[in-house]
Amino acid sequence: MSDLTKAWKLYSLTSIIKSSISWLISDYYVVSFRKSGRTWLRMIWARILEQQYSKNINLDTQFMALLTKAPKLTFSHGGTTKTNNPLSFPRWLQRKKVIFLARDPRDVVVSLYHDYTKRHGGYTGSISSFIRDDNFGLPAIILFMNQWAKHLQSNQKSLLLSYEQLSANPAETTYQFLAFVGHSAPPEIIQEALSYASFSNMRAMEAQGTIADQRLLPTDKKDTATYKTRKGKVGSYKEELGVEDQLYVDQMVNEKLDKVFGYDV
């Protein structure tokens, strides 16, 4: 079955049209597994565009940048959806310049568990069973990252960034991101964008519904586990997994994940 046929089966006509237009106009794609900080980087970039071009914030930044000199960037899940998307995104994006945003898959799987059980639903089992699930858990995350590792290593038009880099050195990582996409902004604009996209401000905006986009709204304002901005911590899996589960995720990362990401211990 061709990718086009699969797309017709998976997506609405509106979604297919939007994705096709995005592909046609975009110079770059920012790809990550779900819960890896893509929205964080997207908000930094959107705020920079808003300040430089007086555009209203839009999570679909490729459309924000239309009729400007700014590069057109599409932020993509790269196939990681609740339906286990079978489309070959590395092949679909082989002609595009790709920024891959990685995050420690041990943190991703814990965050994803809360997303499936608190935010969007779809899973009712324990966290121990979730992290081991081939369709939902760590095996699926590692498979996705390894597929993209091959693309990154064979494609010179790509850049690997990480959630951990963005957390430890937000300004430096943002400059690296901007350099790759060939865009410049004054330091004061970058600093303001970093403040705007900080965890505390994004949490406040989500609680207040500042940005009218379902992707940035909690399921229950009283339950922080239902927020898009749930925790935002590096290494939080150690706080939420028991000893046996920690041993499992550590072993999986050490033995199965491509070393290009640097998460082995």
Side-chain angles (χ1 to χ4, degrees):
M1 186 185 298
S2 69
D3 279 356
L4 183 59
T5 303
K6 292 175 185 175
W8 279 110
K9 291 179 177 292
L10 284 170
Y11 297 112
S12 66
L13 179 59
T14 300
S15 179
I16 291 173
I17 291 173
K18 180 180 176 181
S19 295
S20 298
I21 293 173
S22 296
W23 188 88
L24 288 171
I25 67 174
S26 292
D27 307 297
Y28 301 86
Y29 269 73
V30 180
V31 174
S32 73
F33 200 90
R34 296 172 59 202
K35 318 306 294 182
S36 294
R38 191 172 65 250
T39 300
W40 184 8
L41 186 59
R42 188 198 308 239
M43 291 296 284
I44 294 171
W45 174 238
R47 185 63 167 179
I48 290 172
L49 292 179
E50 181 189 41
Q51 292 182 93
Q52 289 189 300
Y53 298 103
S54 300
K55 295 276 190 173
N56 292 327
I57 290 282
N58 185 335
L59 292 185
D60 298 312
T61 60
Q62 67 274 30
F63 300 120
M64 273 189 78
L66 285 175
L67 304 180
T68 74
K69 295 180 180 180
K72 283 61 177 175
L73 276 70
T74 292
F75 286 74
S76 170
H77 54 64
T80 55
T81 64
K82 292 174 71 173
T83 55
N84 293 313
N85 194 319
L87 299 180
S88 176
F89 274 72
R91 183 173 62 199
W92 188 48
L93 299 180
Q94 62 184 344
R95 296 183 181 178
K96 299 295 183 180
K97 296 175 182 177
V98 172
I99 298 165
F100 189 89
L101 183 62
R103 186 185 184 187
D104 190 324
R106 293 165 292 195
D107 281 338
V108 173
V109 75
V110 169
S111 184
L112 199 61
Y113 172 75
H114 289 286
D115 190 77
Y116 273 109
T117 57
K118 294 282 190 176
R119 184 171 167 82
H120 291 125
Y123 194 85
T124 57
S126 68
I127 193 169
S128 292
S129 60
F130 182 87
I131 64 175
R132 292 169 173 81
D133 192 289
D134 288 339
N135 294 317
F136 294 98
L138 196 59
I141 299 169
I142 289 176
L143 176 63
F144 172 87
M145 293 179 71
N146 286 347
Q147 288 173 340
W148 276 99
K150 294 178 182 178
H151 177 85
L152 295 170
Q153 291 164 340
S154 63
N155 187 347
Q156 294 182 348
K157 298 184 296 182
S158 62
L159 173 67
L160 174 60
L161 295 177
S162 74
Y163 182 98
E164 293 76 20
Q165 282 178 278
L166 195 55
S167 179
N169 299 293
E172 180 182 326
T173 306
T174 300
Y175 277 112
Q176 188 178 359
F177 163 78
L178 292 174
F180 182 77
V181 301
H183 189 79
S184 61
E188 60 271 19
I189 283 183
I190 293 174
Q191 191 56 53
E192 198 282 335
L194 292 173
S195 297
Y196 178 83
S198 67
F199 183 87
S200 59
N201 193 53
M202 284 182 63
R203 167 64 66 82
M205 289 193 294
E206 188 172 1
Q208 296 162 10
T210 303
I211 298 177
D213 190 306
Q214 189 63 37
R215 291 170 288 182
L216 277 182
L217 294 175
T219 305
D220 180 357
K221 287 185 178 181
K222 297 179 181 179
D223 185 355
T224 57
T226 72
Y227 278 63
K228 183 78 170 178
T229 50
R230 187 184 66 88
K231 231 178 187 181
K233 287 183 64 177
V234 172
S236 63
Y237 76 95
K238 296 176 183 177
E239 301 171 358
E240 302 198 41
L241 296 180
V243 174
E244 186 177 336
D245 288 341
Q246 285 190 43
L247 290 173
Y248 166 75
V249 296
D250 286 346
Q251 182 178 7
M252 282 288 289
V253 167
N254 287 334
E255 295 181 0
K256 303 294 185 181
L257 184 65
D258 195 296
K259 305 303 181 186
V260 71
F261 297 111
Y263 291 120
D264 50 309
V265 294

